[in-house]
Amino acid sequence: MAPIEEAGQPIVIGGVVIEHKDQKWTDKEGKYTGTPGALYSTQLGVVAHSDGDVIYHSIVDAIFGALTLPDIGQVFQDTDPRWKGCDSSKFMTHAREVMQYYGYKIGNLDVTLILERPKVASMKPQMKENIVRLLGTTDGRVNVKARTHEKMDSVGELRSVSCHVVVTLEKE
């Protein structure tokens, strides 16, 4: 992540555009200072070739992995101009089509989003709804949760965001 001016695009997580401006403990470049008195209001953006939706990318990788296929970076290479600024929902649609081609459907999908800020509790239902819709599954098969890194490492310093996904696929 970086200040929006540098990143060139907002943070998109689970298909939800996050325009968060209250970046406590950051300097004017958006870097973590650890000093509450050093407040600077800036909007962070994501540095990525596509829209950089960390949840969608992680889900696509998990589905491809469960099918023993190449990872998202091999399928949608960041050197290919077709994917520049691409809405990651297209990657999700492709993963669903590939999964169905091989005769599978989502058994269970568990997403853990890891970021310090912004707080996303109020956004999780929309993220889940987007995932359910894009993967053609049901609410009872998808879980989205979020946690912080307690101001530790690049995630805690607002320099990055992370996501873990566990997926089980069922034969249709």
Side-chain angles (χ1 to χ4, degrees), residues 74-139:
Q74 291 174 287
V75 177
F76 301 105
Q77 297 180 5
D78 65 3
T79 55
D80 189 332
R82 291 180 297 169
W83 312 127
K84 179 72 176 160
C86 182
D87 180 339
S88 294
S89 66
K90 291 181 180 179
F91 305 153
M92 291 278 283
T93 299
H94 180 73
R96 176 184 179 182
E97 291 167 352
V98 169
M99 181 176 57
Q100 290 172 334
Y101 172 82
Y102 283 98
Y104 287 92
K105 66 180 182 178
I106 296 294
N108 185 30
L109 182 75
D110 185 56
V111 176
T112 304
L113 176 64
I114 308 166
L115 74 167
E116 199 67 28
R117 275 191 322 280
K119 301 299 181 193
V120 296
S122 66
M123 302 170 204
K124 289 191 303 183
Q126 182 62 53
M127 293 175 187
K128 180 177 178 174
E129 183 180 311
N130 292 341
I131 294 164
V132 167
R133 177 180 44 81
L134 288 168
L135 295 180
T137 191
T138 61
D139 282 354

Side-chain angles (χ1 to χ4, degrees), residues 40-101:
Y40 189 85
S41 180
T42 185
Q43 181 179 347
L44 290 178
V46 66
V47 179
H49 186 69
S50 67
D51 69 5
D53 189 318
V54 66
I55 287 181
Y56 286 1
H57 287 219
S58 297
I59 291 171
V60 170
D61 253 344
I63 291 170
F64 287 173
L67 296 169
T68 66
L69 297 173
D71 64 46
I72 190 172
Q74 291 174 287
V75 177
F76 301 105
Q77 297 180 5
D78 65 3
T79 55
D80 189 332
R82 291 180 297 169
W83 312 127
K84 179 72 176 160
C86 182
D87 180 339
S88 294
S89 66
K90 291 181 180 179
F91 305 153
M92 291 278 283
T93 299
H94 180 73
R96 176 184 179 182
E97 291 167 352
V98 169
M99 181 176 57
Q100 290 172 334
Y101 172 82

